[in-house]
Amino acid sequence: MGIKVCKFGGTSMADGNVILTAAKIVEADSERKYVVVSAPGKRFGGDIKVTDLLYKCSDEADEGNTVAFEETFNKIRNRFTSIEAEVGKALGMKEALDEIEKSILQGAGRDYCASRGEYLAAKIMAAVLGVAFVDATEFVRFNADGTLCEETFDLAAKVLKQYDRAVIPGFYGLGADGKVKTFSRGGGDISGSIVARGVMASLYENWTDVSGFYACDPRIVNSPKCIPELSYHELRELSYMGANVLHSEAIFPVRNAGIPIRICNTFRPTDEGTYIVKMSTRDIRDNVVTGIAGKKDFTAISLEKSMMNSEVGFVGKVLSVIGKRGISFEHLPSGIDTMSLVIDNEYLKNGVLQEVVDEIKTLVHPDKIYVHENIALVATVGHGMAKNVGTSARLFKALSEAGINVIMIDQGSSEMNIIVGVENADCGACISAIYNEFFN
Ligand code: ASP
């Protein structure tokens, strides 16, 4: 018998009734032994996620704005006390929230505060299922630089082995300083993956509010096709590029162990969903492209210099300018006497762009340097592309027919993605044109 790990996202924990639906899903399959949960998310458009409320509380407590803090904390109280009423069980929410409020006001810290949504949600789910609550701080460990400790996996195996079934809060663990530390937003998916690896699950089910991974963003193309199966590599490319069904780092813990992930819909549990596996068995004749994703707001700094190709250390010098500022680059397309640095706009705010440009000029004396701001990067991803002649021709023909100007082109060395840079304003049209070419 295999072991399945289920992770329920924020919409699957949003209120007491949905939590009961999620619990039924767990109980419907005896292999579903370990459950990881997010904090209650949005119940309706315009609602606020508990995690966002907690971050707000933390800011208000830091500012010493007790009136605002109380108001926000009361909203959190109401969320959890209504859940308690909806599931119809005494769960001790009032006492737990009193304790949390006290700790926040005593300076327990931002990450501690943000993590309490998951903590309480896991307490609730454990009580509903009648199984053990295991705190994530018992095995999820971070290094001082914020990266995940390797020992996490052995610890997870050791701790979880003691329980036949358990519920674990997602999103956090223990930092090197002995305090609660969170992952980046959406990090509950990483926690689910850690648990799956710890117990060497046969499947990691990620329960969310969509029926799988779509070939592109449904806000851009109406009802795009759902991808039945994709590889870890394809998923990584797509989620990094903005397809946000799963956290882009969630595959790492399960990838080496070859544990498949299934994206499932809590609200349509019989839908097949999407399987994420080591190597997709999809026939590339069905479609050479697996999916398309795009991200806006990049800047390209392009340089031209005659004989750049023979100037040893040129690229190294240019990269040192951004490296010492802690700026990472997204892409580095180059020609014989040209190169461009494509950087997320976030890094270049408040005059940093000008500083970087000036320093590059002084350091490597380019013949020309120009800046193109507000570029969107659109990635077309699929293992099938490597072996299929004519894919890029189709892609660029589709873009030219749609009247889209391509500013930059980059093909990953694995030949499984082609990335184009277009104006931010063209991002949606670019994705639609590529989708229509390969999927319609
Ligand atoms: N609750 C956290 C967030 O909103 C983590 C998660 O849901 O995975 O980002």
Side-chain angles (χ1 to χ4, degrees):
M1 195 170 99
I3 295 175
K4 290 179 186 160
V5 169
C6 304
K7 187 259 166 178
F8 288 94
T11 40
S12 306
M13 298 298 296
D15 65 33
N17 295 322
V18 195
I19 292 174
L20 293 175
T21 305
K24 277 208 192 93
I25 290 174
V26 176
E27 279 161 351
D29 183 343
S30 58
E31 293 187 355
R32 294 183 176 133
K33 291 192 175 293
Y34 299 93
V35 177
V36 177
V37 295
S38 280
K42 291 185 186 185
R43 295 158 293 183
F44 44 81
D47 196 15
I48 306 175
K49 290 178 173 189
V50 164
T51 310
D52 288 322
L53 291 172
L54 286 162
Y55 276 121
K56 192 161 180 280
C57 274
S58 169
D59 292 342
E60 287 160 353
D62 286 350
E63 288 155 14
N65 190 342
T66 34
V67 177
F69 173 85
E70 279 311 319
E71 199 182 307
T72 313
F73 200 80
N74 271 338
K75 288 187 185 152
I76 297 168
R77 277 188 187 278
N78 291 341
R79 287 293 296 266
F80 284 104
T81 44
S82 340
I83 290 175
E84 190 167 32
E86 282 152 2
V87 301
K89 260 194 165 105
L91 302 167
M93 284 297 113
K94 187 190 170 303
E95 299 70 22
L97 282 152
D98 287 345
E99 191 64 34
I100 289 170
E101 183 176 11
K102 208 165 92 196
S103 303
I104 298 171
L105 291 172
Q106 282 169 354
R110 189 170 169 79
D111 281 14
Y112 166 85
C113 185
S115 71
R116 294 304 90 182
E118 272 64 16
Y119 172 82
L120 292 175
K123 287 269 179 194
I124 294 168
M125 187 58 112
V128 170
L129 291 171
V131 305
F133 163 90
V134 178
D135 200 1
T137 50
E138 285 189 42
F139 60 87
V140 177
R141 297 288 151 85
F142 293 94
N143 296 310
D145 65 1
T147 53
L148 189 68
C149 277
E150 261 308 303
E151 67 161 329
T152 291
F153 303 109
D154 287 343
L155 263 179
K158 213 157 82 196
V159 170
L160 295 169
K161 196 163 74 191
Q162 299 166 43
Y163 304 89
D164 179 41
R165 300 175 69 203
V167 178
I168 304 112
F171 191 40
Y172 68 90
L174 202 64
D177 58 0
K179 288 186 178 163
V180 166
K181 173 160 176 52
T182 60
F183 288 103
S184 57
R185 295 302 302 267
D189 292 338
I190 308 174
S191 313
S193 187
I194 291 170
V195 171
R197 160 87 172 272
V199 301
M200 286 310 272
S202 53
L203 182 65
Y204 167 26
E205 292 182 332
N206 192 288
W207 291 87
T208 177
D209 55 0
V210 287
S211 291
F213 224 93
Y214 294 112
C216 73
D217 189 335
R219 286 166 302 187
I220 294 173
V221 169
N222 208 357
S223 312
K225 293 202 172 106
C226 187
I227 309 169
E229 189 183 79
L230 72 162
S231 71
Y232 296 132
H233 204 153
E234 289 171 323
L235 169 90
R236 167 88 178 131
E237 299 277 348
L238 289 168
S239 53
Y240 181 75
M241 284 301 294
N244 58 9
V245 177
L246 198 71
H247 192 292
S248 67
E249 288 165 29
I251 53 160
F252 293 121
V254 288
R255 189 172 64 178
N256 288 346
I259 299 167
I261 307 173
R262 181 181 162 214
I263 309 285
C264 337
N265 189 344
T266 303
F267 307 94
R268 295 174 59 102
T270 54
D271 284 359
E272 225 5 68
T274 296
Y275 280 87
I276 300 147
V277 294
K278 212 172 199 145
M279 197 59 224
S280 169
T281 54
R282 261 181 38 248
D283 189 339
I284 59 159
R285 281 165 305 188
D286 292 345
N287 210 331
V288 291
V289 170
T290 302
I292 309 145
K295 245 179 166 176
K296 287 184 179 172
D297 299 330
F298 292 90
T299 296
I301 304 175
S302 303
L303 282 79
E304 266 180 44
K305 189 174 186 193
S306 301
M307 306 292 286
M308 180 193 287
N309 63 328
S310 54
E311 195 176 322
V312 176
F314 185 92
V315 177
K317 282 187 204 155
V318 174
L319 292 183
S320 71
V321 174
I322 59 165
K324 70 177 186 208
R325 290 178 168 80
I327 299 175
S328 66
F329 66 87
E330 216 68 22
H331 292 282
L332 193 70
S334 61
I336 298 184
D337 289 331
T338 62
M339 66 168 287
S340 299
L341 278 172
V342 182
I343 298 171
D344 194 321
N345 283 358
E346 272 303 311
Y347 287 118
L348 302 171
K349 288 179 173 163
N350 307 323
V352 177
L353 173 61
Q354 197 52 50
E355 265 178 40
V356 167
V357 169
D358 291 345
E359 195 174 332
I360 292 176
K361 277 188 194 159
T362 325
L363 203 63
V364 297
H365 308 291
D367 299 336
K368 274 191 200 153
I369 181 161
Y370 38 94
V371 171
H372 199 130
E373 288 179 83
N374 302 323
I375 293 178
L377 298 177
V378 174
T380 304
V381 175
H383 280 296
M385 298 200 303
K387 299 187 190 71
N388 227 291
V389 177
T391 311
S392 53
R394 281 175 69 187
L395 190 148
F396 291 110
K397 186 162 171 275
L399 294 182
S400 99
E401 279 170 6
I404 293 162
N405 180 33
V406 175
I407 302 166
M408 183 211 89
I409 303 168
D410 199 7
Q411 183 176 28
S413 45
S414 57
E415 285 184 59
M416 58 164 291
N417 64 359
I418 298 174
I419 293 170
V420 294
V422 297
E423 296 289 350
N424 263 351
D426 287 338
C427 184
C430 176
I431 292 173
S432 300
I434 301 172
Y435 181 85
N436 289 334
E437 172 60 34
F438 290 99
F439 290 89
N440 279 338

